[in-house]
Amino acid sequence: MASFCTLAIVLVFLIGSSSAQLSTDYYSKSCPNLFTTVKTVVRSAIQNEARMGASLLRLFFHDCFVNGCDGSILLDDTSSFTGEKTALPNRNSVRGFNIVDNIKSAVEKVCPNVVSCADILAVASRDSVVILGGPDWKVKLGRRDSRTASLAAANNSIPPPTSNLNTLISSFNSLGLSTKDLVVLSGSHTIGQARCTSFRARIYNETNLDASFAQTRRGNCPRAAGAGDNNLAPLDVQTPANFDNNYFKNLISRRGLLHSDQQLFSGSGGRTDSIVRSYSSDSATFRSDFAAAMIKMGDIKPVTGSNGEIRKNCRILN
Ligand code: HEM
Ligand SMILES: *[C@@H]1O[C@H](CO)[C@@H](O)[C@H](O)[C@H]1NC(C)=O
Ligand SMILES: *[C@@H]1O[C@H](CO)[C@@H](O)[C@H](O)[C@H]1NC(C)=O
């Protein structure tokens, strides 16, 4: 009897834990055309506007860092529900929700009620990176969508661009991501744009930056708070629509746009200088480490089993 109980407990544990595993073939029977369907929509969105690839990638990051990759960032506020879209790191900043809607509609047409919004973000980010010239990887799937969101967690869990290196490292470590993962995933800033308000203090007040770079950026980002807050500048001064390793070269030449970017390379023997140097000179290692770290980020606290739901509309609870 005792050993039967032990066996039963072990079985429950094994089944329970295996249901919490994501897998690359999760939809192979239930939605065999998932990948081509998502990629078609992502490709046309990026053809329309290259920046959209960056925006979709960032949505996945902001989803995963707030109670796991569970589609919580996609939920709209209503009179009776508070989502994450107005959180400080998100408001006036995250974008791409219309494209996620387009992807979801296309996926619902080929396989209704099967694919989660959380998984759509994971696939769309991978596709974005690939289309912009970055590495490819097999996306793990099987996440379900949350029935909750947390404005407070969104405020607290996504590090601000004013963060120093130690804060960045502990933020990533607390989610099971290493210091190397922090550096390689920050390589996402090889694409996309930032608003003046995100880098104003750096270009006017910091010393660890190239003078002519600062001068150029000041041209479209006035010193006075409130003026031109939403004016954009590329995170990668060289090739903002190509997923390459120029981001790391920029850091070495002190042309990181955000304070948090330049923290990764202080130039005076900082903890992560050597990682930045290696990615700046070895694009192949950057690409493979990036792919591995994206899979790791995608593994943060997935909702699985009978928890959560497969949302019909990514913006609204079923
Ligand atoms: C290490 C900590 C990080 C900080 C402090 C940070 C901060 C920021 C900030 C402030 C912006 C500009 C937002 C704006 O001004 O509207 C931005 C943009 C972006 N971030 Fe990060 N980020 C971090 C890590 C990441 C990671 C891990 C990813 C992806 C895996 C990522 C992907 C992006 C992308 C692609 C953009 C451009 C988005 C667009 O053009 O729409 N970031 N980030
Ligand atoms: C989150 O941040 C926003 C924007 O600063 C603020 O309006 C809101 O009160 C904050 N909410 C929580 C719960 O922290
Ligand atoms: C630069 O630093 C000074 C002193 O801390 C501060 O008063 C000022 O607002 C900062 N300027 C910008 C543009 O952040």
Side-chain angles (χ1 to χ4, degrees):
M1 186 60 192
S3 69
F4 173 78
C5 284
T6 310
L7 180 67
I9 288 165
V10 167
L11 274 177
V12 166
F13 175 76
L14 284 176
I15 292 164
S17 67
S18 72
S19 74
Q21 296 294 313
L22 305 178
S23 63
T24 56
D25 60 356
Y26 190 81
Y27 297 110
S28 60
K29 294 216 168 61
S30 59
C31 195
N33 293 324
L34 172 63
F35 295 125
T36 52
T37 306
V38 176
K39 192 167 256 174
T40 301
V41 182
V42 173
R43 187 178 288 117
S44 86
I46 292 178
Q47 257 157 21
N48 208 40
E49 185 204 18
R51 185 187 175 194
M52 190 49 70
S55 304
L56 292 170
L57 173 60
R58 184 165 185 240
L59 276 183
F60 186 52
F61 164 50
H62 284 206
D63 188 30
C64 292
F65 264 54
V66 182
N67 296 321
C69 316
D70 60 0
S72 59
I73 192 174
L74 302 174
L75 291 168
D76 280 343
D77 283 7
T78 70
S79 55
S80 57
F81 184 88
T82 304
E84 298 167 6
K85 291 182 178 179
T86 60
L88 197 56
N90 291 337
R91 69 169 179 196
N92 299 323
S93 183
V94 285
R95 56 201 295 281
F97 296 110
N98 297 344
I99 305 303
V100 175
D101 292 340
N102 295 346
I103 300 170
K104 177 65 169 171
S105 310
V107 169
E108 287 299 297
K109 260 185 209 142
V110 292
C111 18
N113 302 315
V114 168
V115 181
S116 67
C117 298
D119 279 345
I120 282 175
L121 282 183
V123 176
S125 320
R126 186 273 312 268
D127 291 347
S128 296
V129 169
V130 171
I131 290 166
L132 295 174
D136 200 352
W137 63 92
K138 289 204 154 76
V139 181
K140 288 167 72 176
L141 299 166
R143 302 168 187 84
R144 292 167 63 83
D145 296 320
S146 69
R147 295 202 31 90
T148 58
S150 173
L151 179 61
N155 280 345
N156 295 325
S157 308
I158 302 166
T162 48
S163 307
N164 289 332
L165 185 57
N166 285 339
T167 306
L168 295 170
I169 290 175
S170 39
S171 160
F172 277 63
N173 286 358
S174 72
L175 295 168
L177 299 171
S178 67
T179 301
K180 191 176 95 171
D181 294 329
L182 159 67
V183 177
V184 79
L185 288 173
S186 295
S188 295
H189 292 175
T190 176
I191 54 175
Q193 309 275 324
R195 293 163 305 147
C196 166
T197 185
S198 301
F199 58 83
R200 176 182 282 124
R202 169 157 168 74
I203 60 173
Y204 286 101
N205 266 345
E206 296 189 0
T207 51
N208 187 20
L209 90 169
D210 178 81
S212 81
F213 173 72
Q215 200 54 45
T216 306
R217 286 293 159 263
R218 287 174 189 164
N220 192 37
C221 180
R223 181 189 295 265
D229 278 3
N230 295 322
N231 293 357
L232 295 173
L235 284 155
D236 171 355
V237 59
Q238 304 185 62
T239 51
N242 290 350
F243 197 101
D244 53 28
N245 66 342
N246 283 337
Y247 170 79
F248 298 103
K249 298 179 185 174
N250 297 335
L251 297 187
I252 292 174
S253 59
R254 301 188 306 158
R255 292 186 293 172
L257 184 62
L258 306 176
H259 173 81
S260 51
D261 290 325
Q262 199 61 57
Q263 281 289 294
L264 304 177
F265 189 88
S266 77
S268 52
R271 280 167 84 177
T272 51
D273 282 13
S274 62
I275 311 177
V276 169
R277 277 191 202 286
S278 80
Y279 291 142
S280 77
S281 64
D282 181 354
S283 153
T285 304
F286 166 53
R287 294 168 66 90
S288 59
D289 286 0
F290 183 84
M294 283 295 291
I295 293 168
K296 225 167 136 183
M297 186 174 87
D299 270 339
I300 298 173
K301 278 194 261 161
V303 177
T304 57
S306 56
N307 296 319
E309 63 185 18
I310 303 298
R311 254 178 246 151
K312 191 80 189 152
N313 175 334
C314 295
R315 296 173 181 268
I316 313 169
L317 300 177
N318 288 347

